[in-house]
Amino acid sequence: MKKVTIHEIARALEIDSSTVSRALNDSNRVKKITKDRILEKAKELGYKRNMLASNLRKNVSNTIGVVLPRVSRHFFSTAIAGIENVAQQHGFNVIISQSLEQLEKEELIINNLITNRVDGIIISVSMETKKGEHLKNIIESGIPLVFFDRHIKDFQNTGKVLIDDELGGFLATEHLIKCGCKKIAHFSGPQDIEVYRNRLSGYQKALEKNSLIYDKNYTFSSRLMETDGIAMAEKLLTELKDVDAAFFANDVSAIAAIKYLKKAGKNIPEDIAIIGFSNEPISEIIEPSLTTIDQSGEEIGRLACELLIQNIKKGNKVLNNETVILNPTLIQRDSTKSN
């Protein structure tokens, strides 16, 4: 099908193509009666605007880049839903890329987004991202940046939308204590990532509040993959036989541990209570169902996108460097004892 141009509209109406162009761009230099004629004729002929060319002329792309570790994780997929909903309401397209927890891949993604002139970037950094030198290129390019969930502490000229991970760790640990548990292990993520440091801090504070001694021999760090959950379960069976509860810093490792412990003949929560973090969909249907901490992924995504668009519309000259912190929610299921 042949593409209709503004010149064909102009010829059909016997007017200048420059007038047609102004009318299609809603210029106030064209009288309303003329503009209406042009719009009607454009619709009749099936004219479609070249939005890419129009945006390039305006030096905008109407596109937001979203960078996250893994789309497959429920928290990140729900955050995407929140981001896309807000972006579409404001006329923005969304490009979604996953780093797969690799710094090199994240750097490549960021460079491509800058090269393709996105209007703003929302990111949850990979486990390998420590200083974020590549992220400074975003700021230096005049592109607004908003972190969500995983972020780099004290990074300047950015917005942040986070969950209160310390509170989440506290709620998880105190729940186990209220269930009567005394020897509680914590399987955390890498301690050079702030969200996992904060979850560990919440664990420690809950122990302290309830007069239980913190023993570093009961805390371990890993990448929290399925294989790590199995390795942690093996520790519970061999090195930590006196432990009566375990707080895992994500659901993926917690669920892997539950499966392994059940095969080893352990009853959950009678022999050992388990709690996770993130409220993955499978956590509700596994047997026993997993008590967990919900992170409000969709709300975080919505707020992150709203904050980013505020800065885009300000031309990135008056930055809103706000840090928004949401409270997590404890969801009790069968893997912990009833109060």
Side-chain angles (χ1 to χ4, degrees), residues 158-169:
T158 65
K160 298 183 182 73
V161 181
L162 317 171
I163 198 78
D164 190 334
D165 286 288
E166 184 175 84
L167 176 60

Side-chain angles (χ1 to χ4, degrees), residues 128-281:
E128 294 181 356
T129 304
K130 312 305 179 192
K131 297 180 180 179
E133 292 299 319
H134 58 300
L135 302 179
K136 292 178 182 177
N137 295 333
I138 301 173
I139 307 301
E140 291 170 0
S141 299
I143 299 173
L145 172 66
V146 170
F147 289 101
F148 77 102
D149 187 44
R150 297 192 205 157
H151 61 286
I152 298 177
K153 191 175 182 180
D154 300 325
F155 204 89
Q156 300 299 311
N157 299 319
T158 65
K160 298 183 182 73
V161 181
L162 317 171
I163 198 78
D164 190 334
D165 286 288
E166 184 175 84
L167 176 60
F170 181 90
L171 291 174
T173 308
E174 186 164 72
H175 171 70
L176 293 171
I177 294 169
K178 287 180 177 178
C179 289
C181 302
K182 302 292 184 185
K183 295 284 187 178
I184 303 170
H186 176 43
F187 299 117
S188 186
Q191 289 304 293
D192 49 9
I193 298 176
E194 188 170 6
V195 296
Y196 299 121
R197 288 200 304 271
N198 290 340
R199 291 173 197 180
L200 171 61
S201 176
Y203 161 81
Q204 294 170 321
K205 288 187 175 180
L207 294 178
E208 182 181 359
K209 179 192 170 187
N210 291 276
S211 302
L212 294 177
I213 297 173
Y214 166 67
D215 186 342
K216 66 180 181 180
N217 293 317
Y218 287 84
T219 60
F220 302 86
S221 296
S222 73
R223 291 174 67 88
L224 297 175
M225 304 295 285
E226 185 175 351
T227 52
D228 299 310
I230 293 170
M232 295 304 103
E234 289 175 341
K235 286 185 180 294
L236 290 170
L237 293 173
T238 56
E239 301 174 27
L240 306 171
K241 294 181 180 180
D242 59 339
V243 164
D244 55 11
F247 162 37
F248 287 78
N250 77 358
D251 282 359
V252 171
S253 57
I255 289 167
I258 285 176
K259 291 178 179 177
Y260 190 90
L261 291 169
K262 282 176 61 182
K263 286 183 180 178
K266 290 291 182 181
N267 294 316
I268 299 167
E270 291 79 11
D271 295 332
I272 182 167
I274 303 286
I275 189 167
F277 204 113
S278 67
N279 195 24
E280 295 282 332

